[in-house]
Amino acid sequence: MTELTFPARFRWGTATAAYQIEGAADEDGRTPSIWDTFSRTPGKVRNGDTGDIAADHYHRMAEDVALMKDLGVTDYRFSVAWPRVQPTGRGPAVQKGLDFYRRLTDELLSADIRPVLTLYHWDLPQELEDAGGWPHRETAERFAEYAGLVADALGDRVPTWTTLNEPWCAAFLGYASGVHAPGRTDAAASLRAAHHLNLAHGRAVQVLRAALPASAEVSLTLNLHAVRPLSDSAGDRDAARRIDALGNRVFLDPVFHGRLPADLVEDTAALTDWSFVRDGDLEVTSAPVDSLGINYYSPTVVAAGTSETPSPWPGAERHVRFVPAPGPRTAMDWPVDPEGLYGLLTRLRDELPGTPLMVTENGAAYDDYADPSGEVHDPERVAYLDGHLAAVHRALADGVDVRGYFLWSLLDNFEWAYGYGKRFGIVHVDFASQRRTPKDSARWYADVIARGGLRG
Ligand code: PNW
């Protein structure tokens, strides 16, 4: 047996997001975000689930940090709830909201766990949505101001800052397919949203650089799509190019190269002339970052064809068909394929030389089962994680500068449109009693961290 050993300074983390775990939706001055509104609207989230209580992390934070200390993680990726800190999206910060994150980061630092803070994991203050949301340019400015409030409060204790989590989901699931909050189905608006998210990111980078110590690391997280054409035919390859533009380069190009993808502008010409991109915007969007976070779960296989509308792929519906990838599936019905992660990492090595990478999310939902003694067994999750970490190891061996891996997720939580029915945690949560039970995968991860690698 050969051990797959990771670099000594490799960062081993877990990840969560505020709305998915915190609960306490109406406490200490917090007001609704678009996800409160969306989840409280009948028919939007399975089973009518909301994040009102979630995993009650707001009240059980110390217990959850203790769980991580037991796992031995070096880092913890969490998000700040904008409506807790600046409820209307304007004006001064709410002290009690900031205090929660101050206590959380203090608790992490005393457990010797590095805080990795995400400013935006989809919980836009409802008032900003009412004023136009992400399709509206001013939202980017509001985000930069909010970034400054958080930086002033936590800049002395948080070494790593991430502006946005998965702007693709925020723009295209939120405004084009409408399966995420705010649930709009306006393809043209979703393209404006994507640009304003890029602009918000860039403006926040500028504000963070001014407010944070020089040692702070500033980053963003993208859910990049590992796109493969079904065949080598020209039509299938063109379908893959379109999805690469709408899924990847729509963010990578403005952020890392200060340009819009020319083919994207052409492909979407029937929807927009992109005149909302003003002079100077692409200099802002490309404010230098220190690293890139990538979230990966599953590959995307496409062919020439059509898909239904509304879809999260504005303008591609008459050209692209999504093909179920072969092989095993998770409880989300997402195909399992670590090769997709390896492919993305090596592509970024080549396209963004000098940019350190972090896998900021990877994990799987499965239907776990408890035995009579109360132990929760999840062998499929262990196999999924082992396979994907092996892919990261192979990427490292091939010269990819991957600095860390954040397992999604620490806890079972509110899985967006799927509610509590899909469990991604390595710690089981009984949502009636809020009892936490580490699963077999938690013990497996603790062992990986302790030995600094996989058993091979
Ligand atoms: C990510 N898609 O969401 C998020 O960052 C997490 O909050 C979430 O819990 C996790 O992945 C698992 O879903 C995604 O439809 C949601 O392509 C949907 C998609 C991608 C990512």
Side-chain angles (χ1 to χ4, degrees):
M1 282 215 321
T2 32
E3 298 249 341
L4 301 182
T5 305
F6 283 68
R9 295 177 60 189
F10 195 75
R11 287 147 69 164
W12 299 99
T14 56
T16 64
Y19 188 69
Q20 296 181 273
I21 63 166
E22 285 181 2
D26 301 317
E27 276 177 55
D28 294 337
R30 185 186 178 285
T31 58
S33 77
I34 55 175
W35 268 98
D36 296 284
T37 307
F38 188 77
S39 66
R40 292 169 185 170
T41 304
K44 299 296 186 189
V45 173
R46 279 199 197 172
N47 198 35
D49 290 344
T50 72
D52 287 358
I53 301 172
D56 198 32
H57 172 74
Y58 194 71
H59 301 116
R60 293 164 198 268
M61 175 273 284
E63 178 187 351
D64 294 339
V65 173
L67 283 167
M68 284 189 271
K69 193 174 162 67
D70 288 345
L71 288 173
V73 299
T74 62
D75 290 56
Y76 173 52
R77 175 175 180 260
F78 63 96
S79 79
V80 172
W82 188 349
R84 238 182 241 301
V85 165
Q86 194 192 34
T88 64
R90 295 168 206 281
V94 170
Q95 197 53 48
K96 280 191 172 170
L98 288 173
D99 283 347
F100 171 70
Y101 298 104
R102 217 186 276 273
R103 290 198 306 277
L104 167 63
T105 47
D106 282 350
E107 195 77 19
L108 290 167
L109 292 168
S110 51
D112 211 17
I113 299 169
R114 294 185 40 161
V116 175
L117 182 153
T118 297
L119 285 164
Y120 187 71
H121 201 123
W122 308 351
D123 41 4
L124 185 72
Q126 182 61 42
E127 285 203 26
L128 292 184
E129 176 56 30
D130 295 342
W134 287 112
H136 182 55
R137 186 178 174 96
E138 202 214 332
T139 305
E141 218 36 62
R142 299 275 63 78
F143 179 71
E145 186 185 284
Y146 153 69
L149 296 176
V150 182
D152 287 343
L154 303 175
D156 60 344
R157 63 196 67 204
V158 174
T160 302
W161 294 69
T162 303
T163 56
L164 305 176
N165 175 69
E166 302 191 349
W168 183 86
C169 293
F172 299 116
L173 300 180
Y175 293 91
S177 70
V179 305
H180 279 187
R184 289 174 57 184
T185 50
D186 178 340
S190 74
L191 294 167
R192 290 204 305 279
H195 175 61
H196 295 144
L197 282 154
N198 282 331
L199 194 61
H201 157 76
R203 285 285 296 119
V205 171
Q206 295 174 332
V207 167
L208 292 174
R209 294 288 185 210
L212 297 175
S215 60
E217 177 185 351
V218 177
S219 184
L220 90 162
T221 279
L222 301 175
N223 58 310
L224 293 177
H225 298 258
V227 195
R228 290 200 304 262
L230 181 63
S231 80
D232 209 32
S233 74
D236 290 359
R237 281 190 285 114
D238 188 63
R241 176 195 60 74
R242 285 173 187 270
I243 296 309
D244 183 50
L246 279 165
N248 300 329
R249 288 182 283 113
V250 62
F251 302 108
L252 288 172
D253 279 16
V255 169
F256 289 96
H257 305 297
R259 66 176 184 230
L260 289 175
D263 58 335
L264 174 68
V265 173
E266 207 174 297
D267 292 347
T268 55
L271 294 168
T272 178
D273 62 4
W274 291 82
S275 56
F276 49 82
V277 181
R278 298 193 189 158
D279 282 352
D281 280 6
L282 294 166
E283 275 142 57
V284 176
T285 61
S286 57
V289 292
D290 300 309
S291 62
L292 171 64
I294 73 168
N295 294 352
Y296 173 82
Y297 292 90
S298 196
T300 306
V301 181
V302 297
T306 58
S307 20
E308 37 181 90
T309 51
S311 90
W313 303 103
E317 296 93 343
R318 286 183 301 109
H319 304 274
V320 180
R321 175 168 69 92
F322 290 84
V323 183
R329 306 275 169 139
T330 71
M332 299 292 282
D333 205 30
W334 293 350
V336 177
D337 184 6
E339 205 56 37
L341 178 56
Y342 174 81
L344 283 176
L345 291 170
T346 48
R347 168 185 174 174
L348 293 168
R349 170 198 64 197
D350 299 339
E351 288 185 9
L352 302 177
T355 305
L357 306 174
M358 288 201 288
V359 177
T360 38
E361 286 180 26
N362 175 245
Y366 283 107
D367 299 321
D368 315 313
Y369 60 99
D371 73 17
S373 70
E375 305 249 297
V376 183
H377 303 300
D378 56 346
E380 297 155 301
R381 180 173 291 104
V382 170
Y384 178 100
L385 296 168
D386 192 275
H388 285 75
L389 269 171
V392 173
H393 188 273
R394 192 149 57 88
L396 279 163
D398 290 345
V400 184
D401 185 8
V402 201
R403 303 282 173 95
Y405 175 90
F406 292 74
L407 196 163
W408 185 272
S409 181
L410 174 67
L411 302 171
D412 290 337
N413 61 49
F414 175 82
E415 177 49 33
W416 307 113
Y418 295 88
Y420 298 100
K422 301 293 178 209
R423 294 176 175 272
F424 275 89
I426 55 172
V427 174
H428 180 271
V429 177
D430 175 333
F431 290 104
S433 66
Q434 293 295 347
R435 197 186 135 91
R436 276 91 163 118
T437 308
K439 305 176 188 179
D440 287 348
S441 55
R443 283 178 283 278
W444 170 86
Y445 196 41
D447 181 65
V448 169
I449 297 170
R451 67 175 58 237
L454 304 172
R455 284 171 188 270

